[in-house]
Short mmCIF file of all heavy atoms in Angstrom, two decimals:
data_model
loop_
_atom_site.label_atom_id
_atom_site.label_comp_id
_atom_site.label_asym_id
_atom_site.label_seq_id
_atom_site.Cartn_x
_atom_site.Cartn_y
_atom_site.Cartn_z
N LEU A 354 161.99 18.12 54.43
CA LEU A 354 161.36 19.33 53.88
C LEU A 354 161.30 20.39 54.99
O LEU A 354 160.89 20.05 56.10
CB LEU A 354 159.93 19.02 53.42
CG LEU A 354 159.75 17.78 52.51
CD1 LEU A 354 158.29 17.67 52.10
CD2 LEU A 354 160.65 17.85 51.29
N CYS A 355 161.72 21.59 54.69
CA CYS A 355 161.91 22.58 55.74
C CYS A 355 161.23 23.92 55.40
O CYS A 355 161.10 24.28 54.21
CB CYS A 355 163.41 22.83 55.99
SG CYS A 355 164.31 21.36 56.45
N TRP A 356 160.87 24.62 56.42
CA TRP A 356 160.25 25.94 56.31
C TRP A 356 160.71 26.84 57.44
O TRP A 356 161.06 26.38 58.52
CB TRP A 356 158.73 25.85 56.39
CG TRP A 356 158.05 25.07 55.34
CD1 TRP A 356 157.43 25.55 54.22
CD2 TRP A 356 157.85 23.66 55.29
NE1 TRP A 356 156.88 24.56 53.47
CE2 TRP A 356 157.11 23.37 54.09
CE3 TRP A 356 158.20 22.60 56.12
CZ2 TRP A 356 156.74 22.08 53.75
CZ3 TRP A 356 157.85 21.31 55.77
CH2 TRP A 356 157.14 21.06 54.59
N ARG A 357 160.66 28.12 57.18
CA ARG A 357 160.80 29.12 58.24
C ARG A 357 159.98 30.34 57.86
O ARG A 357 159.86 30.67 56.66
CB ARG A 357 162.26 29.48 58.47
CG ARG A 357 162.89 30.29 57.38
CD ARG A 357 164.37 30.53 57.61
NE ARG A 357 164.91 31.49 56.64
CZ ARG A 357 166.21 31.67 56.42
NH1 ARG A 357 167.12 31.01 57.14
NH2 ARG A 357 166.60 32.58 55.57
N MET A 358 159.41 31.00 58.84
CA MET A 358 158.62 32.21 58.59
C MET A 358 158.83 33.21 59.71
O MET A 358 158.89 32.82 60.91
CB MET A 358 157.12 31.89 58.49
CG MET A 358 156.74 31.12 57.23
SD MET A 358 154.93 31.04 57.02
CE MET A 358 154.56 32.74 56.57
N LYS A 359 158.96 34.46 59.33
CA LYS A 359 159.07 35.50 60.38
C LYS A 359 157.75 35.67 61.10
O LYS A 359 157.72 35.99 62.26
CB LYS A 359 159.51 36.82 59.70
CG LYS A 359 159.91 37.88 60.70
CD LYS A 359 160.56 39.05 60.01
CE LYS A 359 161.00 40.09 61.06
NZ LYS A 359 161.66 41.27 60.44
N HIS A 360 156.64 35.48 60.36
CA HIS A 360 155.32 35.59 60.98
C HIS A 360 155.19 34.61 62.14
O HIS A 360 155.29 33.38 61.92
CB HIS A 360 154.25 35.36 59.92
CG HIS A 360 152.87 35.29 60.46
ND1 HIS A 360 152.28 36.33 61.16
CD2 HIS A 360 151.94 34.32 60.43
CE1 HIS A 360 151.06 35.99 61.50
NE2 HIS A 360 150.80 34.77 61.06
N ARG A 361 155.04 35.05 63.34
CA ARG A 361 154.93 34.26 64.54
C ARG A 361 156.17 33.40 64.79
O ARG A 361 156.17 32.47 65.56
CB ARG A 361 153.68 33.35 64.47
CG ARG A 361 152.39 34.12 64.31
CD ARG A 361 151.17 33.23 64.49
NE ARG A 361 151.02 32.87 65.89
CZ ARG A 361 150.12 31.99 66.32
NH1 ARG A 361 149.33 31.40 65.46
NH2 ARG A 361 150.02 31.71 67.59
N GLU A 362 157.28 33.78 64.14
CA GLU A 362 158.57 33.10 64.34
C GLU A 362 158.39 31.59 64.21
O GLU A 362 158.76 30.82 65.09
CB GLU A 362 159.17 33.48 65.69
CG GLU A 362 159.46 34.96 65.87
CD GLU A 362 160.45 35.50 64.84
OE1 GLU A 362 161.33 34.73 64.41
OE2 GLU A 362 160.34 36.69 64.46
N GLN A 363 157.85 31.16 63.07
CA GLN A 363 157.56 29.76 62.86
C GLN A 363 158.71 29.08 62.16
O GLN A 363 159.40 29.65 61.35
CB GLN A 363 156.31 29.60 62.00
CG GLN A 363 155.05 30.19 62.63
CD GLN A 363 153.85 30.08 61.67
OE1 GLN A 363 153.22 29.01 61.58
NE2 GLN A 363 153.57 31.16 60.99
N ARG A 364 158.87 27.78 62.48
CA ARG A 364 159.82 26.93 61.79
C ARG A 364 159.26 25.53 61.75
O ARG A 364 158.50 25.11 62.65
CB ARG A 364 161.18 26.94 62.48
CG ARG A 364 161.16 26.57 63.95
CD ARG A 364 162.51 26.71 64.63
NE ARG A 364 162.96 28.12 64.65
CZ ARG A 364 164.07 28.51 65.29
NH1 ARG A 364 164.84 27.63 65.91
NH2 ARG A 364 164.42 29.78 65.27
N ALA A 365 159.57 24.77 60.71
CA ALA A 365 159.02 23.43 60.59
C ALA A 365 159.97 22.55 59.77
O ALA A 365 160.69 23.05 58.89
CB ALA A 365 157.65 23.42 59.95
N LEU A 366 159.96 21.28 60.07
CA LEU A 366 160.69 20.27 59.29
C LEU A 366 159.86 19.01 59.24
O LEU A 366 159.35 18.54 60.27
CB LEU A 366 162.06 19.97 59.92
CG LEU A 366 162.93 18.92 59.23
CD1 LEU A 366 164.40 19.30 59.37
CD2 LEU A 366 162.69 17.53 59.82
N VAL A 367 159.70 18.47 58.02
CA VAL A 367 158.98 17.19 57.82
C VAL A 367 159.98 16.16 57.38
O VAL A 367 160.74 16.37 56.42
CB VAL A 367 157.87 17.34 56.77
CG1 VAL A 367 157.36 15.96 56.33
CG2 VAL A 367 156.71 18.18 57.32
N ARG A 368 160.01 15.04 58.10
CA ARG A 368 160.87 13.90 57.74
C ARG A 368 160.00 12.66 57.79
O ARG A 368 159.68 12.16 58.87
CB ARG A 368 162.05 13.77 58.69
CG ARG A 368 162.93 12.56 58.40
CD ARG A 368 164.08 12.44 59.37
NE ARG A 368 165.07 13.50 59.18
CZ ARG A 368 166.13 13.69 59.98
NH1 ARG A 368 166.34 12.87 61.01
NH2 ARG A 368 166.97 14.69 59.75
N GLY A 369 159.58 12.17 56.63
CA GLY A 369 158.70 11.01 56.60
C GLY A 369 157.37 11.37 57.27
O GLY A 369 156.70 12.35 56.91
N ARG A 370 156.99 10.55 58.25
CA ARG A 370 155.73 10.79 58.95
C ARG A 370 155.84 11.81 60.10
O ARG A 370 154.83 12.21 60.69
CB ARG A 370 155.20 9.48 59.52
CG ARG A 370 156.02 8.85 60.56
CD ARG A 370 155.55 7.41 60.90
NE ARG A 370 154.18 7.39 61.33
CZ ARG A 370 153.28 6.52 60.90
NH1 ARG A 370 153.60 5.62 59.96
NH2 ARG A 370 152.05 6.53 61.35
N TRP A 371 157.09 12.21 60.41
CA TRP A 371 157.32 13.06 61.56
C TRP A 371 157.46 14.54 61.15
O TRP A 371 158.00 14.88 60.13
CB TRP A 371 158.58 12.65 62.29
CG TRP A 371 158.44 11.27 62.90
CD1 TRP A 371 158.85 10.10 62.40
CD2 TRP A 371 157.74 10.97 64.11
NE1 TRP A 371 158.51 9.07 63.22
CE2 TRP A 371 157.80 9.58 64.29
CE3 TRP A 371 157.08 11.74 65.08
CZ2 TRP A 371 157.24 8.94 65.39
CZ3 TRP A 371 156.52 11.12 66.17
CH2 TRP A 371 156.61 9.71 66.30
N LYS A 372 156.94 15.42 62.03
CA LYS A 372 157.04 16.83 61.77
C LYS A 372 157.45 17.57 63.05
O LYS A 372 156.83 17.43 64.11
CB LYS A 372 155.68 17.40 61.31
CG LYS A 372 155.68 18.90 61.04
CD LYS A 372 154.34 19.34 60.46
CE LYS A 372 154.33 20.85 60.21
NZ LYS A 372 152.99 21.24 59.66
N TYR A 373 158.52 18.33 62.90
CA TYR A 373 158.96 19.25 63.97
C TYR A 373 158.39 20.62 63.68
O TYR A 373 158.50 21.13 62.55
CB TYR A 373 160.50 19.30 64.01
CG TYR A 373 161.06 20.40 64.85
CD1 TYR A 373 161.02 20.33 66.26
CD2 TYR A 373 161.60 21.55 64.28
CE1 TYR A 373 161.53 21.36 67.05
CE2 TYR A 373 162.12 22.58 65.04
CZ TYR A 373 162.08 22.48 66.44
OH TYR A 373 162.58 23.48 67.20
N LEU A 374 157.76 21.23 64.68
CA LEU A 374 157.16 22.55 64.50
C LEU A 374 157.51 23.41 65.72
O LEU A 374 157.51 22.94 66.85
CB LEU A 374 155.64 22.40 64.39
CG LEU A 374 154.82 23.72 64.28
CD1 LEU A 374 155.09 24.39 62.96
CD2 LEU A 374 153.34 23.42 64.43
N GLN A 375 157.85 24.67 65.44
CA GLN A 375 158.04 25.65 66.51
C GLN A 375 157.30 26.91 66.16
O GLN A 375 157.37 27.42 65.04
CB GLN A 375 159.52 25.93 66.72
CG GLN A 375 159.79 26.84 67.92
CD GLN A 375 161.24 27.17 68.14
OE1 GLN A 375 161.64 28.34 68.19
NE2 GLN A 375 162.09 26.15 68.20
N VAL A 376 156.49 27.36 67.08
CA VAL A 376 155.67 28.58 66.90
C VAL A 376 155.87 29.47 68.12
O VAL A 376 155.58 29.03 69.24
CB VAL A 376 154.20 28.26 66.70
CG1 VAL A 376 153.41 29.56 66.45
CG2 VAL A 376 154.00 27.30 65.56
N GLU A 377 156.40 30.66 67.88
CA GLU A 377 156.64 31.62 68.95
C GLU A 377 157.40 30.97 70.13
O GLU A 377 157.10 31.18 71.31
CB GLU A 377 155.33 32.20 69.45
CG GLU A 377 154.61 33.00 68.33
CD GLU A 377 153.27 33.56 68.72
OE1 GLU A 377 152.64 33.02 69.68
OE2 GLU A 377 152.78 34.49 68.08
N GLY A 378 158.41 30.18 69.77
CA GLY A 378 159.29 29.60 70.75
C GLY A 378 158.82 28.30 71.40
O GLY A 378 159.55 27.66 72.15
N ILE A 379 157.57 27.88 71.10
CA ILE A 379 157.03 26.65 71.66
C ILE A 379 157.21 25.51 70.64
O ILE A 379 156.88 25.69 69.49
CB ILE A 379 155.54 26.81 72.04
CG1 ILE A 379 155.37 27.96 73.03
CG2 ILE A 379 154.98 25.49 72.58
CD1 ILE A 379 153.93 28.27 73.34
N GLU A 380 157.74 24.38 71.11
CA GLU A 380 158.05 23.26 70.22
C GLU A 380 156.97 22.20 70.23
O GLU A 380 156.32 21.95 71.26
CB GLU A 380 159.39 22.63 70.62
CG GLU A 380 160.58 23.55 70.40
CD GLU A 380 161.89 22.83 70.67
OE1 GLU A 380 161.99 22.18 71.71
OE2 GLU A 380 162.83 22.93 69.82
N TYR A 381 156.83 21.57 69.07
CA TYR A 381 155.88 20.49 68.91
C TYR A 381 156.51 19.39 68.07
O TYR A 381 157.36 19.64 67.22
CB TYR A 381 154.62 21.00 68.16
CG TYR A 381 153.97 22.20 68.79
CD1 TYR A 381 154.43 23.48 68.53
CD2 TYR A 381 152.90 22.04 69.68
CE1 TYR A 381 153.85 24.59 69.12
CE2 TYR A 381 152.32 23.16 70.30
CZ TYR A 381 152.80 24.42 70.00
OH TYR A 381 152.24 25.52 70.60
N LEU A 382 156.03 18.16 68.32
CA LEU A 382 156.44 17.03 67.51
C LEU A 382 155.16 16.27 67.20
O LEU A 382 154.44 15.83 68.08
CB LEU A 382 157.40 16.12 68.28
CG LEU A 382 157.87 14.90 67.51
CD1 LEU A 382 158.72 15.24 66.33
CD2 LEU A 382 158.63 13.94 68.46
N PHE A 383 154.88 16.10 65.88
CA PHE A 383 153.67 15.42 65.42
C PHE A 383 154.00 14.26 64.52
O PHE A 383 154.96 14.32 63.72
CB PHE A 383 152.76 16.41 64.69
CG PHE A 383 152.26 17.55 65.51
CD1 PHE A 383 152.64 18.86 65.15
CD2 PHE A 383 151.45 17.36 66.59
CE1 PHE A 383 152.18 19.93 65.90
CE2 PHE A 383 150.99 18.42 67.36
CZ PHE A 383 151.36 19.71 67.01
N ASP A 384 153.19 13.24 64.62
CA ASP A 384 153.15 12.14 63.62
C ASP A 384 152.01 12.52 62.69
O ASP A 384 150.83 12.27 63.00
CB ASP A 384 152.93 10.81 64.31
CG ASP A 384 152.80 9.65 63.33
OD1 ASP A 384 152.61 9.92 62.11
OD2 ASP A 384 152.84 8.49 63.79
N VAL A 385 152.29 13.13 61.56
CA VAL A 385 151.24 13.68 60.71
C VAL A 385 150.54 12.64 59.88
O VAL A 385 149.52 12.92 59.22
CB VAL A 385 151.77 14.83 59.80
CG1 VAL A 385 152.16 16.03 60.63
CG2 VAL A 385 152.92 14.34 58.94
N VAL A 386 151.03 11.38 59.92
CA VAL A 386 150.32 10.28 59.25
C VAL A 386 149.23 9.78 60.19
O VAL A 386 148.06 9.65 59.82
CB VAL A 386 151.27 9.16 58.88
CG1 VAL A 386 150.49 7.94 58.33
CG2 VAL A 386 152.27 9.64 57.80
N ALA A 387 149.59 9.50 61.45
CA ALA A 387 148.61 9.04 62.44
C ALA A 387 147.74 10.18 62.95
O ALA A 387 146.54 9.95 63.33
CB ALA A 387 149.31 8.36 63.61
N ASP A 388 148.27 11.39 62.95
CA ASP A 388 147.60 12.55 63.54
C ASP A 388 147.66 13.73 62.61
O ASP A 388 148.34 14.72 62.85
CB ASP A 388 148.26 12.86 64.91
CG ASP A 388 147.72 14.10 65.58
OD1 ASP A 388 146.50 14.42 65.35
OD2 ASP A 388 148.48 14.77 66.30
N PRO A 389 146.95 13.68 61.47
CA PRO A 389 147.07 14.77 60.51
C PRO A 389 146.57 16.11 61.01
O PRO A 389 146.91 17.14 60.45
CB PRO A 389 146.25 14.27 59.29
CG PRO A 389 145.30 13.27 59.87
CD PRO A 389 146.03 12.62 60.98
N ARG A 390 145.74 16.11 62.05
CA ARG A 390 145.25 17.36 62.61
C ARG A 390 146.22 18.00 63.58
O ARG A 390 145.95 19.06 64.14
CB ARG A 390 143.88 17.19 63.25
CG ARG A 390 142.78 16.97 62.24
CD ARG A 390 141.41 16.88 62.87
NE ARG A 390 140.94 18.08 63.49
CZ ARG A 390 140.49 19.19 62.84
NH1 ARG A 390 140.47 19.17 61.50
NH2 ARG A 390 140.08 20.22 63.49
N GLU A 391 147.34 17.33 63.82
CA GLU A 391 148.40 17.89 64.69
C GLU A 391 147.84 18.30 66.05
O GLU A 391 147.99 19.41 66.54
CB GLU A 391 149.07 19.08 64.00
CG GLU A 391 149.76 18.68 62.72
CD GLU A 391 150.26 19.86 61.89
OE1 GLU A 391 149.40 20.48 61.23
OE2 GLU A 391 151.47 20.16 61.92
N ARG A 392 147.20 17.35 66.69
CA ARG A 392 146.59 17.55 68.00
C ARG A 392 147.43 16.96 69.15
O ARG A 392 147.40 17.44 70.28
CB ARG A 392 145.18 16.98 68.06
CG ARG A 392 144.22 17.54 67.05
CD ARG A 392 143.80 18.98 67.31
NE ARG A 392 144.81 19.92 66.92
CZ ARG A 392 144.70 21.24 67.09
NH1 ARG A 392 143.67 21.76 67.66
NH2 ARG A 392 145.68 22.03 66.71
N ALA A 393 148.14 15.85 68.86
CA ALA A 393 148.87 15.17 69.91
C ALA A 393 150.36 15.55 69.85
O ALA A 393 151.07 15.07 68.95
CB ALA A 393 148.71 13.64 69.74
N ASN A 394 150.76 16.38 70.76
CA ASN A 394 152.15 16.83 70.81
C ASN A 394 153.02 15.76 71.49
O ASN A 394 152.89 15.52 72.70
CB ASN A 394 152.28 18.16 71.56
CG ASN A 394 153.66 18.77 71.48
OD1 ASN A 394 154.56 18.21 70.85
ND2 ASN A 394 153.82 19.92 72.11
N LEU A 395 153.89 15.14 70.71
CA LEU A 395 154.66 13.98 71.21
C LEU A 395 156.05 14.38 71.69
O LEU A 395 156.92 13.51 71.86
CB LEU A 395 154.76 12.95 70.08
CG LEU A 395 153.44 12.43 69.50
CD1 LEU A 395 153.72 11.46 68.38
CD2 LEU A 395 152.59 11.80 70.56
N ARG A 396 156.29 15.63 71.93
CA ARG A 396 157.65 16.08 72.27
C ARG A 396 158.15 15.42 73.58
O ARG A 396 159.36 15.16 73.67
CB ARG A 396 157.71 17.58 72.36
CG ARG A 396 156.91 18.15 73.53
CD ARG A 396 156.97 19.66 73.55
NE ARG A 396 156.28 20.19 74.73
CZ ARG A 396 156.05 21.46 74.95
NH1 ARG A 396 156.46 22.38 74.06
NH2 ARG A 396 155.46 21.87 76.05
N ASP A 397 157.28 15.22 74.53
CA ASP A 397 157.75 14.65 75.80
C ASP A 397 157.87 13.11 75.71
O ASP A 397 158.66 12.50 76.43
CB ASP A 397 156.80 15.01 76.93
CG ASP A 397 156.80 16.53 77.20
OD1 ASP A 397 157.87 17.14 76.98
OD2 ASP A 397 155.76 17.04 77.61
N ARG A 398 157.11 12.49 74.82
CA ARG A 398 157.20 11.04 74.65
C ARG A 398 158.39 10.65 73.79
O ARG A 398 158.87 9.52 73.89
CB ARG A 398 155.89 10.52 74.02
CG ARG A 398 154.68 10.62 74.95
CD ARG A 398 153.41 10.18 74.25
NE ARG A 398 153.47 8.80 73.74
CZ ARG A 398 152.47 8.19 73.15
NH1 ARG A 398 151.32 8.85 72.95
NH2 ARG A 398 152.59 6.95 72.72
N GLU A 399 158.79 11.54 72.89
CA GLU A 399 159.87 11.25 71.95
C GLU A 399 160.96 12.35 72.02
O GLU A 399 161.25 12.99 71.04
CB GLU A 399 159.31 11.19 70.52
CG GLU A 399 158.29 10.09 70.30
CD GLU A 399 158.94 8.81 69.78
OE1 GLU A 399 160.18 8.79 69.65
OE2 GLU A 399 158.22 7.83 69.54
N PRO A 400 161.60 12.52 73.20
CA PRO A 400 162.58 13.62 73.29
C PRO A 400 163.77 13.46 72.37
O PRO A 400 164.33 14.45 71.88
CB PRO A 400 162.99 13.56 74.77
CG PRO A 400 162.70 12.17 75.20
CD PRO A 400 161.47 11.75 74.45
N GLY A 401 164.17 12.22 72.13
CA GLY A 401 165.31 11.99 71.23
C GLY A 401 165.00 12.41 69.83
O GLY A 401 165.80 13.03 69.16
N ARG A 402 163.82 12.05 69.35
CA ARG A 402 163.39 12.39 68.01
C ARG A 402 163.22 13.92 67.91
O ARG A 402 163.59 14.53 66.87
CB ARG A 402 162.10 11.69 67.62
CG ARG A 402 161.80 11.78 66.13
CD ARG A 402 160.52 11.07 65.77
NE ARG A 402 160.50 9.69 66.20
CZ ARG A 402 160.99 8.70 65.47
NH1 ARG A 402 161.55 8.93 64.32
NH2 ARG A 402 160.90 7.43 65.93
N LEU A 403 162.66 14.55 68.92
CA LEU A 403 162.52 15.99 68.91
C LEU A 403 163.88 16.66 68.75
O LEU A 403 164.04 17.56 67.92
CB LEU A 403 161.84 16.45 70.22
CG LEU A 403 161.70 17.97 70.38
CD1 LEU A 403 160.61 18.48 69.51
CD2 LEU A 403 161.44 18.33 71.85
N ALA A 404 164.85 16.21 69.53
CA ALA A 404 166.17 16.80 69.47
C ALA A 404 166.82 16.56 68.11
O ALA A 404 167.50 17.46 67.55
CB ALA A 404 167.06 16.23 70.58
N GLU A 405 166.61 15.40 67.54
CA GLU A 405 167.18 15.07 66.24
C GLU A 405 166.63 15.97 65.14
O GLU A 405 167.37 16.52 64.32
CB GLU A 405 166.89 13.60 65.91
CG GLU A 405 167.41 13.15 64.56
CD GLU A 405 167.00 11.72 64.25
OE1 GLU A 405 166.36 11.07 65.11
OE2 GLU A 405 167.31 11.24 63.13
#
Side-chain angles (χ1 to χ4, degrees):
L354 310 183
C355 302
W356 297 261
R357 69 184 189 194
M358 290 191 71
K359 190 170 183 179
H360 173 59
R361 303 190 71 186
E362 299 300 329
Q363 298 176 82
R364 55 185 65 175
L366 179 146
V367 167
R368 177 181 291 176
R370 65 190 302 134
W371 295 99
K372 180 175 179 181
Y373 168 74
L374 177 69
Q375 186 181 125
V376 182
E377 297 177 339
I379 302 174
E380 292 186 312
Y381 306 84
L382 178 68
F383 297 116
D384 177 346
V385 292
V386 174
D388 176 29
R390 287 183 67 76
E391 297 170 284
R392 301 290 78 183
N394 187 0
L395 304 177
R396 66 182 184 187
D397 295 330
R398 292 176 58 178
E399 297 268 0
R402 193 180 304 275
L403 177 74
E405 178 184 358

